[in-house]
Amino acid sequence: MASFLLGLLDILYNALNKIKWDARNRFFNKGFGDLDNADRSLSAVLKHARKESSLEPVALDWTSKITEQQEKGLKLGAAVVDDVEFDSPLAEFLPLESKRGYVQFVRPANVPLSSLKGIVIHIAATNDNTFAARRRWVADPLLRKGIASMLLMNATYGPRQPKDQWRSYPNTVSEYLVSLLANMVEAAGLVGAVRKEFPDIPVGLTGISLGGSVASWATCICDGPLAVSPCVGADSPVALLSGILSKDVAWDVLLKETEMSKAAAHKKLSDLFARWGMISQCIKNGVVREGDRVVAYAGAVDDHYVRKHENETAFENLKVIVGEGNVERKWIAGGHVWAIGLSRWFFVPMVLRSFELLRKRM
C-alpha cells in the first residue's frame, strides 16, 4: 500500500506541471518530421552495433575551472570541473545547434586521478537541461566515494537546443528519435575517450529515466569492461506512449497529419518507437560484444512514467546482452518522482554496486 501511495506522486507531479498549461509544452508539435533522416541515423547506428563500421572514441576538447567546495565535509576536497566539448558522431543527422557535444567532468581536487575507483558517464533524464541536478544528487555523493563523473548534455538540450525548439520538447518525432540515437552513440564514444585518457581507471555508464534507458542501449555498442547502472529506464521509447507522458504528446497534430484515428496513430507511433528498442535490435541482429560488463539495475514498483513491464523488458534483454550472471536488480518502493527525488539514497548505491561487481569480475 505504501508503494502504491508513493507512486501517486507521479500523477500529482504531472498534474501540477499542467496548472499553467501551455500548448508548447508538448512532444511533437510539428508532427512526424523527416522520418527518412531518422531511418538513416538508425541504419548508421546498427552498422556500428554490428561492427560493420567502427565507432571511434570522441575527441575531447578540454578546459578547466576550479569550483568552491560543493558541500562542507567533502572529504576528497574541492571539486574540479572540466568543461569538455566534442563533435557528435551523429552530427550529420542533427540540427546545427546540436552537432557539438558538451560534457562536465567532475573530479576531486588535490587527489591524484590514479587513486580514483572509477569514472562514470551520466546520461540526462527527460527535461534535464542543466548539469546542476546531476551534480548535486549523484556526482557529488559519488565523488566522496572516489568515483568521478562525466555528465553528458543530451543532444537537443541546454546549449545544444535547436533555436526553434521550445524548452526540451522536440518539435518532431524524427528529431526525437535522432536525438536518442545521438545520446547513445555519444555515450559510447565517451566510454572510449575515457579509456584512452585514463587507461587504468574502470569506466561506467549510468542514467535516470530517459538517461537510464540510453545507458542500457549504449551498453550494446560498447566493448571492454563496463560498469552499468541504469535507473528507472526502459527498453525503447515506447515508454513515452505507455506511461503518463503520453498525455503530453501533441496527438491533435499527429492525427491531422496522418488523418488517422487516435488508436491508429498510437499504433503507428508505437511500432515506430519499437524499432528504436536498441537492446532488442542488438539481440535480433546477433550482436556480440567483448569484455566483462556488469549491470546493477534499479526499477520503481509503482512507476507511472516507465511502466513496470517496460522496466522488466529492459532488464531481461540486458541479461541476454551481458549474461544472466552479470546482472542484478533492485526494486524501489513507490514511483518515478519518489525515486528520482531520493537519487542519492537510491541510485548512488547502484552506481557503487556496479563498480563493485566489475572489480570482482576483473
Side-chain angles (χ1 to χ4, degrees):
M1 176 60 76
S3 178
F4 171 79
L5 293 175
L6 290 172
L8 294 179
L9 290 174
D10 290 354
I11 299 173
L12 176 61
Y13 178 81
N14 191 259
L16 290 174
N17 281 338
K18 289 181 170 57
I19 289 178
K20 292 184 178 180
W21 188 80
D22 189 322
R24 293 173 296 180
N25 292 341
R26 301 189 301 172
F27 294 90
F28 322 137
N29 264 320
K30 295 185 179 180
F32 280 92
D34 184 0
L35 293 180
D36 287 340
N37 187 56
D39 285 339
R40 289 191 296 271
S41 68
L42 178 60
S43 295
V45 171
L46 290 177
K47 286 181 179 179
H48 290 318
R50 294 190 296 261
K51 299 186 179 181
E52 295 171 8
S53 61
S54 60
L55 178 60
E56 301 295 332
V58 295
L60 302 179
D61 180 12
W62 296 80
T63 59
S64 297
K65 60 182 180 182
I66 304 295
T67 66
E68 294 182 359
Q69 188 168 310
Q70 293 291 301
E71 297 180 27
K72 290 182 179 179
L74 187 58
K75 295 180 181 178
L76 294 178
V80 178
V81 178
D82 298 295
D83 292 317
V84 188
E85 298 183 18
F86 61 92
D87 292 326
S88 175
L90 291 190
E92 64 181 293
F93 306 107
L94 291 167
L96 177 62
E97 300 86 353
S98 307
K99 295 180 183 296
R100 190 76 167 156
Y102 294 90
V103 169
Q104 278 194 351
F105 182 41
V106 184
R107 57 186 172 88
N110 306 317
V111 174
L113 288 177
S114 59
S115 68
L116 287 173
K117 297 177 182 178
I119 298 172
V120 63
I121 297 160
H122 302 236
I123 301 98
T126 300
N127 293 331
D128 187 357
N129 285 293
T130 72
F131 298 112
R134 284 176 285 165
R135 284 274 306 277
R136 181 172 63 252
W137 294 344
V138 183
D140 286 351
L142 285 174
L143 198 61
R144 292 196 293 274
K145 299 293 185 178
I147 304 290
S149 294
M150 186 163 277
L151 314 179
L152 172 64
M153 180 61 66
N154 279 1
T156 56
Y157 285 9
R160 308 182 69 184
Q161 178 179 320
K163 290 182 179 179
D164 62 343
Q165 177 178 293
W166 173 251
R167 295 182 177 174
S168 54
Y169 293 94
N171 286 321
T172 67
V173 172
S174 173
E175 290 177 8
Y176 177 63
L177 294 175
V178 172
S179 72
L180 295 180
L181 294 179
N183 295 338
M184 181 185 75
V185 175
E186 289 169 10
L190 285 170
V191 168
V194 170
R195 287 182 179 145
K196 184 177 179 180
E197 295 271 353
F198 312 104
D200 299 322
I201 302 176
V203 184
L205 283 168
T206 193
I208 298 170
S209 189
L210 175 63
S213 303
V214 174
S216 297
W217 306 345
T219 304
C220 302
I221 58 173
C222 288
D223 284 315
L226 195 63
V228 188
S229 47
C231 302
V232 293
D235 179 66
S236 77
V238 172
L240 178 66
L241 307 179
S242 61
I244 199 169
L245 284 180
S246 176
K247 298 177 181 178
D248 295 339
V249 172
W251 290 110
D252 57 328
V253 176
L254 300 181
L255 297 184
K256 183 177 180 181
E257 181 176 333
T258 60
E259 298 183 344
M260 291 179 172
S261 66
K262 184 174 181 179
H266 192 284
K267 185 178 186 307
K268 174 182 172 71
L269 204 53
S270 296
D271 291 345
L272 179 59
F273 280 10
R275 292 171 49 213
W276 260 251
M278 290 308 302
I279 313 175
S280 299
Q281 284 275 16
C282 288
I283 294 172
K284 178 181 176 182
N285 283 270
V287 172
V288 177
R289 312 307 299 193
E290 299 174 355
D292 292 322
R293 289 170 301 157
V294 297
V295 177
Y297 202 95
V301 176
D302 289 287
D303 195 328
H304 292 268
Y305 284 86
V306 178
R307 296 295 187 179
K308 191 174 182 180
H309 72 273
E310 297 282 355
N311 195 286
E312 289 177 332
T313 298
F315 178 75
E316 292 300 322
N317 284 340
L318 275 173
K319 286 200 294 187
V320 177
I321 292 292
V322 304
E324 187 165 356
N326 301 321
V327 181
E328 288 186 3
R329 175 169 58 188
K330 178 179 180 180
W331 285 111
I332 299 167
H336 212 75
V337 171
W338 173 255
I340 291 175
L342 297 178
S343 295
R344 70 171 59 208
W345 290 279
F346 290 148
F347 300 143
V348 168
M350 300 307 291
V351 176
L352 296 174
R353 178 58 178 164
S354 70
F355 280 98
E356 180 184 347
L357 292 172
L358 185 61
R359 284 193 294 273
K360 290 179 179 179
R361 288 297 306 273
M362 298 173 65

